[in-house]
Structures are given as C-alpha cells and as structure tokens.
Amino acid sequence: MAGALGDVKVRRPRMLSPLREHLRDTMWFAPTAGLVGVMLLWWVAAELDAEIVRALQDAEEYDWLKDLIGVAEDAKAVINTIGSAMMTFIGVVFSISLVAVQMASGQFSPRVVRLYVRSRITKATLTGFMATFLFSLLTLTSFDSEQDPRLVSSVPLIEALIAMLMVLLSLLLFVAYVNGTVRMMRIGFVIDRIARESFRVAVKQPTELPVDTEQLGPETARITHLGRAGVLRDVNIARAVRAARRQGVVLRLIPRIGDFVVPGTPVFTVHGGAAPSRRALRYTVSVGVERTFHQDLGFGLRQLSDIALRALSPAVNDPTTAVQALDRIVQFLASVAPYPLGALGHRDRRGALRLVQSVPDWTALVDLGFAEIRGCAIGNPQVTRRMLAGLDDLLLLAPEERREPLLRHRELLAQAVERSVPEAADRAFALRPDRQGIG
C-alpha cells in the first residue's frame, strides 16, 4: 500500500487554509474586497488627473486644458449612463442566480447549492458590476463646475477612461457568467464538480498507515465543545498540531468531520500529558449549519448518492442521471481504494505524531456510495447493470482486504433482483454488468 501511495504529493496543512475555505463559502468577501480596491484605484486616478491639471496650469497650456475640459464634459454623460446601467446588470445577475439555484435545488439536491455559492465567475461578475457602479459614482464627484482653465482643479480624464474600461470588463464577465451558469444547470457538470471537489479532499489525506489508537497511551484529559451546536465543518489541523507540540501531547479528534455536535460534546482526547489551554485551541474547531468539502471525505459521496436517489424517485424517474452519479461514485472509490483510511495521523515538523483524526473507513465509504441507491435501483435495469459493472471494476482495483463490502453489495443486489423481478429473462437482463447501464 505504501508503494501505491508513494507518488501522491500531500501538502502540509496551513494555518489559514480553513479561513480561506470559509471565505469561499461566502458571497460578501469578494464584493467587499472589490469595493475597497476600486476606491483605492479611484483615489490614485483622481490624484493623477489633478497632477495633470496642475502641470498644464504651471506650463500655461490653457488651450490644451480647455480642450480637455470639453472632452471631460462629453464623457460625463457616458459616466452617468454607466452608473444607471450597472444597477440594472446587477439585478439581472441576481435574478439569473436565484433561478439557477432554485432549479438546482429542486432537480438535483439542496446540498449542491453550495457549488453556486462557491462559483468564482459569479463572485467575479458581481464584484465587477458593483465596482464599476461605485467607480462611476466616485468619478462623477470629481467633475469640477468651474470651466475657467486657470481656476479648474480637476479634469477626470483618466477616471473616465478607467470607468469605460471597467464597463468593457464587466461585459466580458457577464458573457462568462451566463456561460458558467448555463453549465452549472447541467447535471453532468454538477456531478463532475462534486467529484473534483471530492478528489481534492482525498489527496490531502495523510498517506501513512492508519494509527492504532490503542498505542496512544492512556487518556489524560478531554476537551469539550463550548460553542454553538452545529455540524463539525473542519478542524484547523496546523493550529491543533502546534498546540499539541507545545504541550508535548497527542490529541485525538473524537467526532468525525460532518458530525453534529452540541455544547458539552467531547471533541478531543489528550494522551501523554496535560491538556493544552483553551486559548491555544481557540478557533481550532469550526462548527456551521451545513457540511463542507474542505476536510469531509464522505460529503461528495453523500451528494452523489442524494442526486441518484432523487433521480430514481417516482416523481422524477430519471435512471440515466442515477447512472451518471454511479459513474463518479465508482471513480471516487477507485481513487481512494489504495489510501489508508480510519484513524489518520498528523505530525509536526520533527515527525512526531500530534493529532489523530478519524475519517470514514473503506466499508463506510462503500456503504455510503451504494447502500441507498441499491435499495431504490430495483425495477431500473439500467441502474442495476451499471452498479454491477462498477462493483466488478472495484473488485479488480481494490486490495484483497477491501473486497468484502463490495462482494456483500453485489450479493445483496442480486438477491433483491431475484426476489423482485418475476421473469427469468428480465432477471438475467438486469443482472448483466454494463458500464453504460443500457448502452
């Protein structure tokens, strides 16, 4: 197993990585940063415009300055139009986003809405429109009512030019936004995004063999959760490892990422000494209202399973979508088949074990990927055939010690088809492996 993992490059956890992921789950950070940036840009442009006016006045180039004032007055009407048009564009962007989110939530799963919230093109478009709107308003304040070139203090030529360039950028962003939103309304693209997010989680897992928790030594203390109730979104691994190193102990995370915790729930056990202070572990555990991809190895399978279950419901009756979800479930399980799972260890810079984190083991991941879909697949030969082909492929790829849950699901699926399908020919057809379901 170690040889199969030797080529996998795992990045050391960084102190700010959870914060970066949390900011990506918000819609306010990118527009706010964009507005602050555009205010700085306007200030620089206004200073340049004022410097140009002063230089022309010092050189007594009043004719040039009078021409520039005329050009700026002509641009003023354009800037006024930009300000009103950007607000209309912002309304269009919000309307399209709300429709896309509503369709995705109703057709796929409420949990895929997070993909729209994390969409970079959506945030970039909203930021671009708001920044253009603010910049046009600030530019309007720079126009001087004084028309005498000897007395005028500002002629916003550079500001007007930047505003027009920002309009062009906003239009390009709008085209990219419409294209990206249409793509995200397609089930194949949504499933692919979920799968890619799941793979990013998998490659961040430690590649050494699982830790034997019985060898950690006696438990010396427990650290409980004192915050609000919610889903354990992630743990700041770098912060926890640093706190354990300073205290000379090993911390073991009790709940798994994605578990619901309430105040008073033990979250860490301490082995080898006294517990780190509450201050040292501040902001180590993040609790929210929903699960995230950041460290949750099973969340991608949960979403793919939900999409397949909704597709197989009598109200939707879309087995082809279920087959597409099974394609990615098999792909993900095949990618993690050689990975160590269970209790994984995180070490400090000197190689000493400092944090033990529990992740779903192989059996739990296989059950999550197949159990519920298998129960709803009976009566849909396209799905049963694809599931059998996927299980057969995984039996070839998985190590010998990980074949038992795959064989169990294959046998249970065959038994369910035997019980539910009366005709022998239909049973034989439904139990014939096919990677396309019904090609």
Side-chain angles (χ1 to χ4, degrees):
M1 183 180 298
L5 298 169
D7 297 332
V8 180
K9 183 179 180 180
V10 180
R11 293 174 294 179
R12 183 179 295 276
R14 297 178 180 177
M15 190 67 67
L16 297 180
S17 59
L19 176 61
R20 183 176 65 249
E21 292 296 324
H22 295 171
L23 292 177
R24 287 189 62 190
D25 285 333
T26 66
M27 288 294 293
W28 64 266
F29 178 74
T32 302
L35 294 179
V36 173
V38 82
M39 291 178 68
L40 294 175
L41 176 63
W42 168 80
W43 180 78
V44 172
E47 289 295 319
L48 290 175
D49 282 328
E51 187 64 28
I52 292 174
V53 171
R54 286 193 294 268
L56 291 175
Q57 289 174 340
D58 293 342
E60 298 185 352
E61 297 286 350
Y62 298 119
D63 291 336
W64 274 88
L65 192 53
K66 187 174 182 180
D67 293 337
L68 292 181
I69 292 174
V71 173
E73 286 298 319
D74 294 337
K76 187 175 182 179
V78 178
I79 302 300
N80 274 314
T81 304
I82 291 173
S84 58
M86 283 301 106
M87 288 305 296
T88 303
F89 267 108
I90 291 173
V92 171
V93 169
F94 269 111
S95 300
I96 295 176
S97 296
L98 292 176
V99 171
V101 168
Q102 185 177 12
M103 290 182 60
S105 177
Q107 293 183 3
F108 308 145
S109 168
R111 276 151 290 283
V112 305
V113 172
R114 184 173 176 273
L115 296 179
Y116 293 82
V117 175
R118 290 172 64 90
S119 172
R120 289 188 175 93
I121 187 60
T122 300
K123 296 177 182 178
T125 304
L126 181 60
T127 302
F129 288 171
M130 295 183 67
T132 303
F133 173 71
L134 179 60
F135 192 90
S136 64
L137 293 183
L138 295 174
T139 301
L140 288 175
T141 65
S142 298
F143 284 91
D144 197 335
S145 60
E146 179 63 56
Q147 299 297 311
D148 189 345
R150 294 176 176 81
L151 301 177
V152 69
S153 60
S154 175
V155 180
L157 287 177
I158 295 179
E159 297 167 70
L161 178 61
I162 293 176
M164 294 177 187
L165 291 176
M166 292 182 68
V167 171
L168 178 60
L169 176 62
S170 297
L171 292 176
L172 295 176
L173 284 173
F174 183 72
V175 173
Y177 166 76
V178 172
N179 178 69
T181 302
V182 171
R183 289 177 65 192
M184 285 193 292
M185 295 171 66
R186 294 158 47 191
I187 184 60
F189 180 80
V190 171
I191 290 177
D192 179 69
R193 283 285 301 272
I194 294 172
R196 285 190 283 121
E197 291 277 2
S198 301
F199 296 146
R200 291 192 185 100
V201 179
V203 299
K204 292 178 182 177
Q205 303 298 315
T207 57
E208 63 182 46
L209 294 177
V211 176
D212 186 359
T213 56
E214 295 182 357
Q215 297 181 359
L216 296 178
E219 177 184 322
T220 56
R222 285 197 171 196
I223 301 172
T224 59
H225 174 58
L226 298 181
R228 61 174 180 170
V231 175
L232 181 60
R233 296 190 299 179
D234 54 50
V235 175
N236 193 319
I237 296 173
R239 188 184 297 272
V241 168
R242 186 178 65 177
R245 176 177 59 82
R246 288 179 175 177
Q247 198 68 18
V249 298
V250 178
L251 298 176
R252 181 173 68 88
L253 182 66
I254 300 176
R256 286 198 320 216
I257 304 298
D259 286 357
F260 192 87
V261 296
V262 298
T265 301
V267 289
F268 289 110
T269 60
V270 183
H271 302 264
S277 65
R278 288 283 180 182
R279 183 176 182 180
L281 294 175
R282 184 183 302 174
Y283 307 122
T284 299
V285 175
S286 174
V287 172
V289 296
E290 62 180 356
R291 297 169 68 175
T292 65
F293 271 111
H294 178 41
Q295 295 176 359
D296 196 338
L297 188 61
F299 188 44
L301 287 179
R302 177 70 273 162
Q303 293 185 77
L304 293 172
S305 179
D306 287 347
I307 292 173
L309 292 174
R310 180 162 297 198
L312 292 175
S313 65
V316 179
N317 195 22
D318 182 13
T320 302
T321 295
V323 167
Q324 288 181 277
L326 280 171
D327 292 339
R328 298 300 184 172
I329 290 173
V330 172
Q331 180 188 10
F332 177 77
L333 291 175
S335 68
V336 301
Y339 275 53
L341 300 169
L344 302 183
H346 300 276
R347 300 179 180 274
D348 59 19
R349 288 173 293 181
R350 298 180 179 179
L353 180 65
R354 294 303 179 189
L355 176 65
V356 177
Q357 178 184 6
S358 177
V359 300
D361 59 17
W362 172 252
T363 301
L365 292 177
V366 172
D367 290 341
L368 178 57
F370 291 117
E372 294 175 308
I373 301 177
R374 174 173 51 78
C376 298
I378 309 306
N380 293 281
Q382 182 180 0
V383 181
T384 59
R385 288 158 63 98
R386 178 63 186 100
M387 185 175 292
L388 287 170
L391 289 169
D392 289 345
D393 289 340
L394 290 173
L395 285 169
L396 295 175
L397 297 172
E400 182 70 30
E401 65 273 12
R402 292 187 170 178
R403 294 180 180 177
E404 187 278 328
L406 301 171
L407 294 172
R408 173 168 52 85
H409 280 284
R410 200 184 195 289
E411 181 62 26
L412 290 173
L413 179 60
Q415 292 176 4
V417 172
E418 291 287 346
R419 290 194 305 267
S420 304
V421 180
E423 298 294 333
D426 290 339
R427 290 197 299 269
F429 181 79
L431 294 176
R432 186 180 305 154
D434 186 345
R435 290 190 178 88
Q436 295 186 16
I438 301 176

